[in-house]
Amino acid sequence: MNRQIINYLAMIGILLLTLGCGNSPNIVGKWIGTAPNNERITYHFKEDNTLVWTVDSPSAPGSTSAKYSIDYSTKPIQIDIFDFSFPPLKEVLFFGIIEFKGKDKMLFYGEPSRAMEGKTKRPKEFASDSIEFQRSK
């Protein structure tokens, strides 16, 4: 009888753990936002920690790929974007912060830094030019 109770409690624990993980924020997917200068920006974050960044702008249209790392345990969430495929951005590190506003909306802000110049400062709070992104379905 005790064995059945232990198995039952273990199944409930696994179920609760699984349901709890489903509510965690997840950046994987395609996100679309509009910058303060009205440029449309798209990030497509992939499961393998790569992304495609697209800027729809007359002055700099196009896409570049990069890698990212994200730390969901920090508040705000910290994201680093690096190893851009676009040569002028090769040495740039992007230090950002994210706040999820639900499953399909996030506030995103960051600063580009050049590690070679010793400029590696991450913002601590969101600024007026933070961008709100919607998950594309």
Side-chain angles (χ1 to χ4, degrees):
M1 185 69 145
N2 287 340
R3 182 81 170 148
Q4 286 178 329
I5 292 172
I6 291 171
N7 287 340
Y8 178 71
L9 292 174
M11 287 178 17
I12 289 175
I14 291 170
L15 178 63
L16 290 174
L17 181 63
T18 303
L19 291 175
C21 290
N23 294 331
S24 300
N26 189 341
I27 201 164
V28 173
K30 190 173 184 179
W31 297 84
I32 300 170
T34 304
N37 63 359
N38 288 326
E39 293 177 339
R40 181 178 164 168
I41 298 172
T42 303
Y43 284 103
H44 187 181
F45 294 95
K46 300 178 184 178
E47 298 240 4
D48 65 356
N49 288 77
T50 63
L51 66 92
V52 176
W53 174 40
T54 304
V55 178
D56 187 10
S57 163
S59 62
S63 298
T64 185
S65 60
K67 296 177 183 174
Y68 73 94
S69 63
I70 189 164
D71 187 351
Y72 293 104
S73 70
T74 59
K75 194 161 187 156
I77 295 167
Q78 295 179 357
I79 185 166
D80 298 339
I81 302 175
F82 54 95
D83 199 16
F84 291 90
S85 63
F86 185 55
L89 297 177
K90 207 58 163 152
E91 299 297 320
V92 172
L93 302 172
F94 183 86
F95 295 102
I97 54 175
I98 293 172
E99 182 180 330
F100 285 94
K101 306 278 191 177
K103 181 182 173 195
D104 296 325
K105 190 182 286 188
M106 71 173 170
L107 190 60
F108 189 101
Y109 180 68
E111 294 287 336
S113 299
R114 293 189 184 275
M116 292 176 64
E117 296 172 9
K119 297 179 182 176
T120 56
K121 190 173 180 183
R122 180 183 311 281
K124 296 183 188 306
E125 55 189 39
F126 295 93
S128 61
D129 58 344
S130 298
I131 301 174
E132 187 172 277
F133 284 85
Q134 286 284 139
R135 188 185 300 269
S136 176
K137 296 184 182 190

